Amino acid sequence: MCAIFAQSLLGVELKQPFDQPLLSTSLADYWGKRWNLISTDILRLTIFRPIYRYISRKFNSKLAYSVAIMATFFVSGLMHELLDYHIFRTVSNWGYTYFFLMHGLCVVIEGDLINKFGSRWHLPQVIAGPILILFVSSTFIWLVNGELMQKNMDAIVVKEYMAAIEFLMSFVGLEGNVKPMFNRLKPQMFNIAMNYQVKTKQIFSMTINEAACSDKAHAHRIMLSLVGANP
């Protein structure tokens, strides 16, 4: 969506950052050819290929591939940790790093299985796709999502999307007609996000009273700021 807007604004064709990740047939296909392709290309050129070439000259290509994959995913995890710190200014619990290291290891194991069993290892896309997305989503929830919810990431995302929508409305000239209705919807939109946060924190073993009290107070303060009132 952002790429389409940038293309229309700049009048140039930009590379799409995603290529139908729901149609992935393997983890290597998902991470290497479909998900966040801009970062993938950068990491492939700066991390994977130099490490692979260096190690393959001294050892076998199988070891070089495994080390290069793990190094690439490790750097990707560190990049996400830095981005997380830039947003929240809090010390990370290294959830992103664990997540990407796990997936790097799974990509290596997957490659070994494909080399050993060939096409017999591949499942039909209609089966492999949902299993793959379920695995990526569940491991992200397990290792990363709980920490993000504790940092009120959902509230930050909602506020950023609201700001982006307001900018687009002003850019296309709809601010005068649509903005009053949009301002009325702001509290409801934010309340939906906060209700999701409460339920998520309950799943992650927080007590109902603790989650409800802290989140309702936090939601109330931000909802007042959204409508222009002082808390």
Side-chain angles (χ1 to χ4, degrees):
M1 183 176 181
C2 293
I4 295 174
F5 175 71
Q7 285 183 182
S8 62
L9 180 64
L10 300 175
V12 296
E13 184 175 353
L14 302 176
K15 180 175 181 178
Q16 297 298 319
F18 302 96
D19 183 15
Q20 299 179 308
L22 294 178
L23 299 181
S24 302
T25 57
S26 66
L27 279 174
D29 181 40
Y30 177 85
W31 289 115
K33 299 179 181 179
R34 297 185 181 274
W35 184 263
N36 201 352
L37 298 178
I38 298 174
S39 295
T40 298
D41 289 344
I42 294 173
L43 291 170
R44 183 181 292 115
L45 291 173
T46 59
I47 305 297
F48 178 83
R49 287 182 180 175
I51 292 177
Y52 179 82
R53 289 170 181 168
Y54 177 79
I55 297 180
S56 61
R57 288 196 296 263
K58 299 179 178 296
F59 303 96
N60 58 70
S61 59
K62 181 180 178 180
L63 177 62
Y65 173 81
S66 299
V67 174
I69 284 290
M70 293 302 298
T72 303
F73 275 83
F74 176 65
V75 172
S76 181
L78 292 181
M79 290 169 57
H80 283 78
E81 300 288 0
L82 289 173
L83 180 61
D84 182 270
Y85 179 79
H86 175 72
I87 295 173
F88 300 109
R89 289 294 193 271
T90 57
V91 178
S92 173
N93 292 330
W94 301 101
Y96 281 112
T97 303
Y98 297 145
F99 172 78
F100 281 99
L101 284 176
M102 170 184 282
H103 279 261
L105 180 61
C106 289
V107 169
V108 171
I109 296 173
E110 179 186 73
D112 289 339
L113 292 174
I114 292 175
N115 291 333
K116 184 176 181 179
F117 297 104
S119 60
R120 292 177 296 172
W121 170 252
H122 282 286
L123 295 173
Q125 192 282 323
V126 67
I127 299 176
I131 293 176
L132 176 68
I133 298 303
L134 177 62
F135 176 72
V136 174
S137 302
S138 60
T139 52
F140 183 86
I141 293 172
W142 172 37
L143 295 170
V144 180
N145 195 62
E147 181 181 352
L148 292 181
M149 291 302 99
Q150 292 177 4
K151 296 177 179 179
N152 296 319
M153 179 62 179
D154 52 345
I156 294 175
V157 170
V158 170
K159 291 182 69 176
E160 291 296 327
Y161 271 111
M162 288 179 179
I165 292 173
E166 288 185 333
F167 171 77
L168 289 175
M169 287 192 302
S170 63
F171 181 79
V172 300
L174 296 176
E175 187 175 13
N177 298 325
V178 182
K179 189 173 182 180
M181 180 182 66
F182 179 71
N183 286 337
R184 290 195 298 269
L185 292 175
K186 276 183 178 182
Q188 289 85 344
M189 294 169 64
F190 191 81
N191 191 47
I192 292 173
M194 296 311 299
N195 287 335
Y196 168 76
Q197 184 186 27
V198 171
K199 293 178 181 179
T200 304
K201 286 185 176 181
Q202 291 173 6
I203 292 174
F204 282 89
S205 300
M206 292 186 65
T207 63
I208 295 178
N209 290 335
E210 180 184 358
C213 292
S214 61
D215 287 332
K216 284 182 179 179
H218 181 67
H220 181 69
R221 288 194 300 270
I222 298 184
M223 287 171 65
L224 290 175
S225 67
L226 289 173
V227 298
N230 293 324

